[in-house]
Amino acid sequence: MGIEIKMPALSPTMEEGTLAKWLVKEGDEVKSGDILAEIETDKATMEFEAVDEGIVGKILVAEGTDGVKVGTVIATMAGEDGAEEAPAPAAAPAPPAAEPATEAPKKAESGTSKLATEARAQVADPAIPEGTEYAKITVREALRDAMAEEMRADDRVFVMGEEVAEYQGAYKVTQGLLAEFGPRRVIDTPITEYGFAGVGTGAAMGGLRPVIEFMTFNFAMQAIDHIINSAAKTNYMSGGQMRCPIVFRGPNGAASRVGAQHSQNYAPWYASVPGLIVIAPYDAADSKGLLKAAIRCQDPVVFLENELLYGRTFDIPKLDDYVLPIGKARIMRAGKDVTLVSYSIGVGLALEAAETLAGEGIEAEVIDLRTLRPLDTATVLESLKKTNRIVVVEEGWPACSIASEIAAVVMEQGFDDLDAPVLRVTNEDVPLPYAANLEKAALIDASRVVTAAKKVCYR
Amino acid sequence: MVLIRRFEEKAGQLYGLGLIGGFCHLYIGQEAVAVGIQSALTPGKDSVITGYRDHGHMLAYGIDPNVIMAELTGRGAGISRGKGGSMHMFSVEHKFYGGHGIVGAQVSLGAGLGFAHKYNNDGGVCVAYFGDGASNQGQVYESFNMAELWKLPIIFVIENNQYAMGTSVNRSSAEDQLYRRGESFRIPGIQVNGMDVLAVRGATEEALKWVQSGKGPILLEMKTYRYRGHSMSDPAKYRSREEVQEMRDKSDPIEGVKAYLTKAGVSEEEIKKIDQDIRRQVSEAADFAESSPEPDAAELYTDVLVEQY
Ligand SMILES: Cc1ncc(C[n+]2csc(CCOP(=O)(O)OP(=O)(O)O)c2C)c(N)n1
Ligand SMILES: [Mg+2]
């Protein structure tokens, strides 16, 4: 019996990849552990090993092919006994048969897989002139372009972090920067978050413009002392003498099936600190425009990205030097019946919910806060005046959250405009579990947003 | 050195009068360290960073005593406009980068300043001062590693005054010869008599040569002693009066300098004159600090962020 070799899923979020290179040819004998091919995923280029021994039969997907879906049969292999291989058509989707481990792992329906919804229709950013052309770009590329453009414009800007240079970024966000800017400006650090956060902060005090990447913000807990005590407070403590223009960036929030220590939203932590700017964009255009603004900003910025959004493609205006204002929320969809306030990955769910609600005759207005400190309360309160109802959507814990903050602001400053209590749609108040079903239960989804929106509309 | 001594004595008095609040860490006894090191640096080129026991370093770097004292008394004319206090003072103009209240933070931050010197290729060296207690912080070693790995121009100075609050070096440090603390990072260390200003100066010159020639960081352990409590509210139960007295009698850095000066032919009168000038300067600083107004109430909200959003 021949064995089918299928496009493997090499990361939790991988859906397709590029078959970069075959390292074997038809007729080659392979042993388990031999490297069959190099596969480029959304995060990295990885080697793909043989699990079984045998002879390579037919290679069905040529090297250099892009967009090979996980599970596609890419080659066949005859077993060691030399039995005939049974070639399968390359295009056919993988049958869900019990197969060797080269098969793509069966994707469990988890909470995170639902979090990153498709990019949705949205209202154009008013900052973009009419008639502007758009290009398609992933959030990952948008972030990289923002850094590259700012590095070209200003020699003081450099990028430092774990695996940012030679590895091209743990999540491939810094891809290509080392090649363009060299090791003086794209610097791999040891695994030493507290230390390199301090080095970055000191370099900013010394006049440079560091962009410090945390592999994820979970690891920045070891560095939070420098972010808060050293970076955020110094300008104040020095009576305005000593600035600290630094960007701390990296993925934040729940990732897919990585459990509690690798899945947490720190937005409320940082957003509570005076002296910091906190930005958490949703789409590619905002990621680019706001990261460029963050790098130019004279204040320390915590820039919270989301791993599940890195691979999402959005429209981005084809404008030279696309910089957005910090501290301004964006109305993603106009509506008159209820306001859905969110940020980062929650915006996609709010937009999805808004579509469902539209089908039921409820017109939801969706606000992407984008900047969490300073918070654009004016845009929220303005929308409330129109809709008289607010639901906050946050992929994070409920207690002491951004949602709690919005609820407080709305109560203090918009009480007379409220026709219903403010509702918070947040993750469950538990560490994020690993099991797919529990993870799903713990995380927000669009249907919860729909339910909450209906509730405040008394429907 | 005498300026530091008199300044700190005055600060102690003002604290007793309730004019200075919070924590106030005096540098009395350690003067030779800051003076010996600072005198070897090039102002405007080399950068300096330290912890909360920072008055002495600032004075040694030529920063106006008036604005330092006014910061201690929390006045608007203070170097941080009264918003930093004793532990948080900075002078970007002098490349004095603080004044940090978190034990050990200045070591990573200092490595960052060294990184900036190297990045800009400006020939400057950073001096990062920290205590024997701080030398047990993890981030110190994270910084040692990166500093040596990247050959950063930085001199790490451990001011070993033998106590971290009430904990002696022997009670806190498995390796109590602190100049050896860089060994596993291949950072050379020199132990120096920190009570002798010329020894300090000489060691600093050697260290500067090492760092400026691109060999990377170096570590200086300054053996010194603080006469006063850790801060103003120190029960002083962890060491004996005799121990302190013995240091004062036998190793006082200012007496040491006097001896050097006398030997060099400086007359008693000249020394007296310096003393008097300094007393006058310090009492002026105290007057300034007492009489200048508190910060304007509106200052509460300024300097939180640089830009407007
Ligand atoms: C991270 C941290 N832990 C504890 C403290 C409280 N604290 C302030 S000074 C000090 C002792 C430090 O001693 P040392 O480093 O020897 O410096 P010295 O006071 O002798 O100059 C301690 C524990 C602090 N400020 N920061
Ligand atoms: Mg000490």
Side-chain angles (χ1 to χ4, degrees):
Chain A
M1 245 315 272
I3 295 164
E4 290 178 337
I5 299 174
K6 290 173 187 157
M7 186 70 168
L10 297 170
S11 78
T13 48
M14 176 175 169
E15 283 161 14
E16 57 178 44
T18 300
L19 210 164
K21 193 170 176 192
W22 278 108
L23 297 168
V24 292
K25 52 185 189 313
E26 292 178 2
D28 279 1
E29 201 174 309
V30 293
K31 290 198 296 298
S32 95
D34 285 356
I35 296 164
L36 299 176
E38 280 177 7
I39 289 172
E40 221 175 292
T41 73
D42 52 343
K43 294 205 184 91
T45 302
M46 315 229 329
E47 292 176 338
F48 174 36
E49 292 179 2
V51 175
D52 299 285
E53 312 202 343
I55 292 160
V56 179
K58 277 245 162 337
I59 286 181
L60 299 166
V61 176
E63 65 181 31
T65 310
D66 287 332
V68 183
K69 293 258 176 295
V70 166
T72 308
V73 180
I74 54 175
T76 59
M77 211 159 78
E80 234 197 341
D81 52 11
E84 275 300 291
E85 73 263 25
E99 280 282 346
T102 42
E103 186 203 0
K106 183 170 139 282
K107 273 238 162 170
E109 157 87 339
S110 74
T112 40
S113 60
K114 295 192 74 185
L115 269 183
T117 57
E118 288 305 312
R120 310 232 146 223
Q122 45 195 254
V123 178
D125 194 301
I128 301 166
E130 240 178 275
T132 302
E133 279 185 59
Y134 284 80
K136 295 242 177 270
I137 188 172
T138 62
V139 169
R140 171 182 286 116
E141 291 161 339
L143 293 166
R144 191 262 325 274
D145 290 354
M147 287 186 276
E149 287 178 21
E150 292 310 298
M151 288 174 82
R152 276 174 216 134
D154 185 348
D155 182 67
R156 296 172 304 172
V157 181
F158 69 92
V159 178
M160 174 182 271
E162 289 160 21
E163 311 293 1
V164 297
E166 303 208 355
Y167 194 91
Q168 309 292 325
Y171 295 95
K172 253 188 170 176
V173 175
T174 53
Q175 192 167 30
L177 295 182
L178 176 66
E180 180 173 352
F181 300 102
R184 171 172 168 264
R185 301 181 67 194
V186 185
I187 301 139
D188 278 330
T189 64
I191 306 163
T192 185
E193 282 80 6
Y194 196 5
F196 71 70
V199 169
T201 305
M205 291 169 175
L208 301 182
R209 296 279 175 143
V211 177
I212 301 298
E213 174 173 311
F214 291 112
M215 198 176 274
T216 80
F217 263 92
N218 303 287
F219 316 138
M221 286 236 256
Q222 308 213 355
I224 200 166
D225 172 40
H226 279 302
I227 300 174
I228 294 176
N229 272 319
S230 304
K233 297 178 182 173
T234 301
N235 192 60
Y236 193 81
M237 292 195 306
S238 69
Q241 262 191 78
M242 207 158 100
R243 313 229 150 134
C244 189
I246 186 169
V247 178
F248 298 102
R249 51 153 291 272
N252 172 64
S256 186
R257 306 292 312 281
V258 290
Q261 289 181 335
H262 284 70
S263 298
Q264 188 173 334
N265 176 0
Y266 290 90
W269 295 44
Y270 294 110
S272 75
V273 181
L276 284 181
I277 298 291
V278 182
I279 298 173
Y282 166 61
D283 70 9
D286 286 351
S287 295
K288 181 169 182 187
L290 287 169
L291 183 54
K292 281 168 69 79
I295 294 170
R296 288 182 197 187
C297 174
Q298 302 222 50
D299 292 300
V301 179
V302 171
F303 195 91
L304 303 168
E305 301 157 8
N306 189 296
E307 189 206 326
L308 300 170
L309 293 174
Y310 279 154
R312 297 286 145 184
T313 302
F314 292 91
D315 285 338
I316 191 165
K318 284 195 190 169
L319 292 172
D320 288 343
D321 204 19
Y322 183 61
V323 187
L324 286 168
I326 291 170
K328 297 279 175 290
R330 172 173 167 201
I331 295 173
M332 301 293 278
R333 178 183 175 119
K336 60 173 179 39
D337 298 326
V338 57
T339 302
L340 306 179
V341 178
S342 191
Y343 63 94
S344 187
I345 199 162
V347 174
L349 297 177
L351 289 167
E352 188 184 336
E355 263 173 42
T356 309
L357 289 165
E360 302 185 27
I362 296 174
E363 286 178 40
E365 179 145 296
V366 177
I367 296 178
D368 180 355
L369 293 168
R370 302 197 291 189
T371 301
L372 303 176
R373 185 180 191 98
L375 203 52
D376 183 358
T377 51
T379 298
V380 175
L381 292 166
E382 204 50 47
S383 178
L384 174 68
K385 273 196 188 129
K386 188 167 63 168
T387 64
N388 309 112
R389 292 159 168 89
I390 284 197
V391 172
V392 192
V393 182
E394 182 168 18
E395 191 277 284
W397 287 317
C400 307
S401 57
I402 301 293
S404 310
E405 178 65 16
I406 295 282
V409 166
V410 164
M411 191 189 65
E412 286 171 353
Q413 298 175 46
F415 191 70
D416 293 341
D417 292 323
L418 280 171
D419 284 350
V422 178
L423 289 190
R424 295 176 292 171
V425 178
T426 63
N427 294 349
E428 292 304 313
D429 201 9
V430 296
L432 197 72
Y434 168 71
N437 64 327
L438 298 181
E439 182 187 76
K440 185 162 178 269
L443 294 171
I444 53 168
D445 56 32
S447 73
R448 295 179 210 195
V449 182
V450 170
T451 306
K454 283 190 185 162
K455 196 166 171 195
V456 296
C457 291
Y458 303 111
R459 295 265 297 263
Chain B
M1 283 167 68
V2 178
L3 173 63
I4 297 174
R5 174 87 40 112
R6 297 285 104 81
F7 182 96
E8 295 291 61
E9 286 166 355
K10 182 60 90 182
Q13 285 166 16
L14 296 186
Y15 195 95
L17 294 170
L19 285 159
I20 297 175
F23 295 135
C24 183
H25 310 85
L26 303 182
Y27 200 60
I28 296 176
Q30 302 180 214
E31 296 91 344
V33 178
V35 170
I37 293 175
Q38 298 296 118
S39 69
L41 303 182
T42 311
K45 185 168 140 202
D46 299 321
S47 57
V48 171
I49 188 164
T50 184
Y52 43 83
R53 198 180 296 284
D54 55 355
H55 319 159
H57 306 81
M58 300 181 77
L59 292 168
Y61 226 16
I63 297 170
D64 179 8
N66 286 16
V67 297
I68 304 175
M69 198 68 97
E71 188 61 35
L72 301 192
T73 55
R75 305 306 163 109
I79 192 160
S80 299
R81 298 201 208 180
K83 296 200 270 192
S86 157
M87 298 188 284
H88 312 115
M89 296 193 278
F90 311 82
S91 172
V92 174
E93 183 196 342
H94 289 85
K95 287 196 180 290
F96 176 78
Y97 291 93
H100 294 270
I102 302 300
V103 167
Q106 72 270 32
V107 183
S108 305
L109 296 170
L113 292 167
F115 179 91
H117 285 305
K118 178 154 184 175
Y119 190 95
N120 291 327
N121 197 19
D122 61 14
V125 170
C126 175
V127 176
Y129 293 89
F130 54 106
D132 46 282
S135 76
N136 291 320
Q137 283 282 27
Q139 67 173 316
V140 169
Y141 300 92
E142 299 190 22
S143 306
F144 280 5
N145 186 38
M146 284 181 279
E148 179 65 30
L149 196 61
W150 300 333
K151 298 276 184 249
L152 301 182
I154 179 164
I155 303 177
F156 296 111
V157 178
I158 300 180
E159 294 197 64
N160 180 2
N161 60 13
Q162 300 172 43
Y163 293 91
M165 297 184 65
T167 305
S168 67
V169 172
N170 292 323
R171 290 204 299 124
S172 64
S173 303
E175 170 55 272
D176 62 0
Q177 297 304 301
L178 302 181
Y179 71 96
R180 301 183 57 183
R181 286 293 185 95
E183 270 177 9
S184 63
F185 304 92
R186 300 167 178 251
I187 298 176
I190 309 174
Q191 195 169 50
V192 185
N193 176 4
M195 304 303 266
D196 178 347
V197 70
L198 295 187
V200 174
R201 167 76 189 231
T204 308
E205 285 171 3
E206 285 308 307
L208 278 168
K209 266 189 237 153
W210 176 271
V211 173
Q212 283 163 342
S213 66
K215 291 191 177 124
I218 191 166
L219 175 61
L220 300 178
E221 179 195 354
M222 297 290 169
K223 296 277 279 185
T224 182
Y225 201 77
R226 71 168 151 72
Y227 296 174
R228 296 292 186 94
H230 165 71
S231 65
M232 299 306 297
S233 51
D234 181 340
K237 289 272 159 48
Y238 50 88
R239 63 182 185 185
S240 66
R241 268 171 204 282
E242 291 70 41
E243 180 184 307
V244 182
Q245 199 53 48
E246 180 159 331
M247 281 307 265
R248 296 190 105 139
D249 291 346
K250 297 204 175 130
S251 316
D252 186 69
I254 291 178
E255 288 306 319
V257 158
K258 244 186 211 161
Y260 280 132
L261 289 176
T262 311
K263 215 171 175 187
V266 180
S267 71
E268 190 69 26
E269 282 80 67
E270 281 170 291
I271 292 176
K272 263 219 179 93
K273 169 92 177 32
I274 295 172
D275 232 12
Q276 279 164 356
D277 286 351
I278 284 170
R279 278 178 201 279
R280 206 193 51 246
Q281 203 183 353
V282 168
S283 85
E284 273 171 22
D287 288 346
F288 178 77
E290 282 175 58
S291 61
S292 54
E294 290 189 313
D296 193 275
E299 283 287 343
L300 180 61
Y301 301 106
T302 60
D303 306 320
V304 177
L305 294 172
V306 179
E307 295 184 33
Q308 304 247 310
Y309 303 91

